[in-house]
Amino acid sequence: MSKRDLADFLRRRREALRPDQVPGTHPPGRRARRTPGLRREEVAALAGVSTSYYERLEQARGPRPSPQVLAAVGTALQLTPTEREHLSRLAGQAPLSTDTDRASVPADAEELLHRLGPIPAYLVDEREDILAWNAAAATLITDFAALPAEERNTLRLAIRLSDTLCSAAAGAEGEFARQSAAELRMTSARHPADRALGELVNEIAALSPDFAAAWRDHDVRPRPTLRKRLRHPELGELELERRTLLLPGTDLRLVIYTADPGSASAAALARLEPS
């Protein structure tokens, strides 16, 4: 159980809720609010626990909450299913993964990559390390095989290639950084002892303000589809959708790049000739 992370997560989710979003709380005009969001006593009342007990949770001084208490607090804070799972892991009510070694790629998953043909795609593990890719992805993004293993990571690549491959679309790149932080937040709850993951988070947070802000906010809401702009040396600027699909029975995710049908980017992708 990570009391500090649990406390921080609860506090940030409480502060993100507006009183007018929650039935039964005092309207803003009844008493001046010195802090954003709901008060601790309001969350406690909604969850059916004492104010002192909830305060101890937010102060990282409380005992391990029961599944029933977590469910009630999750309802009070209007958490999504993904946030509820994350809350359970932080509170030590969900099994932790202990295997932090690089995942192996099933043969059928690698075969799927190559069957996608001209569609750029690669496989990543929970640390966002790129474990396998097809020729179209290597042609679109970079020659992954020529990189040291530690550099085959989507976040490290996004920063290293920012001046040559990514356009100046700050909004799109900021959203990618925020989504990456959300994914790694969930991974850190499953692998709290993964030192390599901690080093990666510290490295990227020092380089990306968007990533650092999302990490501090405990944003764990997944967004399986993101818009990205890439500047390819031969195809020019491309506007693509980056789709992420979880491979059943594994911790691996398939990332594919597609373009809107009939768009200039789709026509450019069709001219992509994998090496």
Side-chain angles (χ1 to χ4, degrees):
M1 174 177 171
S2 174
K3 289 188 177 183
R4 186 182 64 179
D5 285 345
L6 174 63
D8 194 38
F9 181 70
L10 291 174
R11 178 177 60 80
R12 290 182 182 275
R13 286 298 165 271
R14 174 176 59 81
E15 292 177 349
L17 276 179
R18 299 196 313 271
D20 58 5
Q21 293 176 308
V22 184
T25 57
H26 297 291
R30 183 169 298 183
R31 190 174 65 167
R33 290 178 180 267
R34 291 175 295 179
T35 58
L38 298 185
R39 299 187 180 96
R40 288 172 176 168
E41 60 265 28
E42 290 172 331
V43 175
L46 291 169
V49 299
S50 69
T51 299
S52 62
Y53 176 85
Y54 183 77
E55 286 178 344
R56 289 198 301 274
L57 289 180
E58 279 205 14
Q59 293 167 355
R61 298 188 297 110
R64 175 180 293 184
S66 68
Q68 294 79 8
V69 167
L70 289 179
V73 170
T75 299
L77 294 176
Q78 300 183 4
L79 301 186
T80 67
T82 300
E83 289 171 328
R84 285 174 181 267
E85 179 184 352
H86 186 67
L87 176 64
S88 294
R89 291 187 183 278
L90 292 179
Q93 296 293 351
L96 301 177
S97 301
T98 57
D99 181 12
T100 57
D101 293 333
R102 295 174 68 88
S104 58
V105 178
D108 57 349
E110 189 141 13
E111 181 181 355
L112 172 62
L113 272 180
H114 299 299
R115 285 192 177 185
L116 290 173
I119 300 176
Y122 52 79
L123 289 169
V124 296
D125 64 8
E126 290 185 290
R127 289 192 206 126
E128 295 293 330
D129 288 336
I130 300 169
L131 305 183
W133 55 90
N134 62 12
T139 303
L140 175 67
I141 302 173
T142 191
D143 183 3
F144 299 108
L147 298 176
E150 63 273 13
E151 291 299 320
R152 295 179 202 150
N153 177 277
T154 61
L155 286 158
R156 289 189 174 112
L157 275 176
I159 290 174
R160 188 173 72 85
L161 301 176
S162 60
D163 293 333
T164 58
L165 186 62
C166 298
S167 73
E173 293 311 308
E175 183 63 19
F176 171 71
R178 289 187 290 271
Q179 171 61 13
S180 298
E183 296 283 356
L184 292 185
R185 258 297 181 189
M186 292 185 284
T187 298
S188 71
R190 291 190 291 267
H191 301 276
D194 188 347
R195 181 174 297 180
L197 175 61
E199 292 173 353
L200 174 66
V201 168
N202 290 336
E203 173 188 341
I204 303 303
L207 297 172
S208 169
D210 290 303
F211 180 95
W215 182 265
R216 287 193 302 270
D217 288 342
H218 279 266
D219 185 1
V220 293
R221 303 185 186 193
R223 302 171 186 84
T225 303
L226 295 174
R227 304 288 293 191
K228 284 186 69 70
R229 288 184 181 178
L230 303 181
R231 185 185 300 118
H232 192 270
E234 297 176 3
L235 303 178
E237 189 161 300
L238 306 173
E239 186 161 347
L240 307 174
E241 283 193 343
R242 182 185 189 268
R243 300 178 183 271
T244 304
L245 306 172
L246 180 65
L247 293 186
T250 76
D251 291 327
L252 302 179
R253 295 187 297 276
L254 175 68
V255 179
I256 62 175
Y257 286 84
T258 61
D260 293 334
S263 66
S265 294
L269 276 185
R271 300 195 305 271
L272 192 66
E273 296 184 2
S275 56

